[in-house]
Amino acid sequence: MNDHRSVLGREAESGDRRFPMGNPSLPRINVQNLQRKISVNVAELERFAANALQHCLHLPKGKRSDLRKSRELFVWLISDRRMALLHRKFLGQSGPTDVLTFQHGEIFISVETARRHARAFGNSLMRELKLYIVHGLLHLHRFDDQTLAEARRMKTAQEKILRACSRDR
């Protein structure tokens, strides 16, 4: 998506929590929980996202990726209802999806969809949310999953980052 204004606009500016990063050349990452149905440990997700970001940037994808150009990244945890609205508005598809990534550094994750998928695949909710964060970061780093070959490369990169982040704990 190539919309250079915040998809959420001003409604999400209050309560801004930023994870301080040690390297000033890395983008700042902010995880914000905008849904109320499911309890989520935002602090843990922010720590994970900052770590995953560093691992993503070590993958060879060129200096001009949106991930490298961004000064700040936002992960918005939202409801199925809000995700369905974004899905229709930007992709013309009905119903919620798991994650939407916008080139200017916003990753939207449906927590309700994540919980359904976690149950279906035998994962914890946190593992599913972390997978979606990595998936969004990789899209910002010029990975794609439109073809089978691209999807395989992206899945391999996702698993590599998830393993590396679990070792870093």
Side-chain angles (χ1 to χ4, degrees):
M1 312 275 151
N2 203 3
D3 183 0
H4 292 286
R5 58 193 154 69
S6 173
V7 173
L8 289 178
R10 297 254 179 238
E11 67 184 282
E13 286 187 4
S14 63
D16 190 10
R17 295 176 37 152
R18 293 196 175 113
F19 185 78
M21 308 228 0
N23 185 341
S25 66
L26 291 175
R28 295 176 71 145
I29 197 149
N30 175 36
V31 176
Q32 195 73 215
N33 186 9
L34 301 179
Q35 58 83 45
R36 295 184 191 106
K37 288 186 177 181
I38 302 167
S39 178
V40 177
N41 184 338
V42 173
E44 181 181 343
L45 288 175
E46 277 187 330
R47 285 188 297 273
F48 171 83
N51 191 15
L53 170 63
Q54 292 182 48
H55 288 287
C56 282
L57 289 171
H58 284 93
L59 297 173
K61 275 310 232 187
K63 292 195 180 282
R64 299 303 301 162
S65 76
D66 294 315
L67 192 60
R68 290 191 191 283
K69 292 187 290 186
S70 296
R71 296 177 54 81
E72 195 163 26
L73 303 171
F74 296 91
V75 177
W76 304 107
L77 304 175
I78 61 175
S79 66
D80 269 355
R81 184 177 102 5
R82 184 170 278 180
M83 180 61 87
L85 293 170
L86 293 173
H87 201 204
R88 176 168 301 285
K89 180 176 182 177
F90 292 100
L91 295 179
Q93 297 178 16
S94 63
T97 187
D98 47 10
V99 60
L100 286 176
T101 302
F102 293 84
Q103 291 176 329
H104 56 280
E106 289 184 303
I107 301 167
F108 291 84
I109 296 172
S110 171
V111 179
E112 293 168 271
T113 297
R115 182 172 63 183
R116 280 193 307 278
H117 288 180
R119 288 176 177 161
F121 296 112
N123 292 327
S124 70
L125 173 60
M126 284 303 281
R127 192 210 185 273
E128 199 73 13
L129 292 170
K130 289 174 181 181
L131 171 66
Y132 296 167
I133 289 171
V134 171
H135 189 85
L137 290 172
L138 287 174
H139 273 304
L140 290 171
H141 200 42
R142 294 216 171 138
F143 278 78
D144 209 345
D145 53 4
Q146 296 301 306
T147 69
L148 190 56
E150 289 172 331
R152 274 193 217 118
R153 276 192 295 278
M154 191 168 190
K155 183 174 190 223
T156 299
Q158 283 173 179
E159 294 303 322
K160 178 180 178 180
I161 291 167
L162 288 166
R163 276 192 311 275
C165 288
S166 69
R167 283 192 307 266
D168 293 345
R169 289 193 293 159

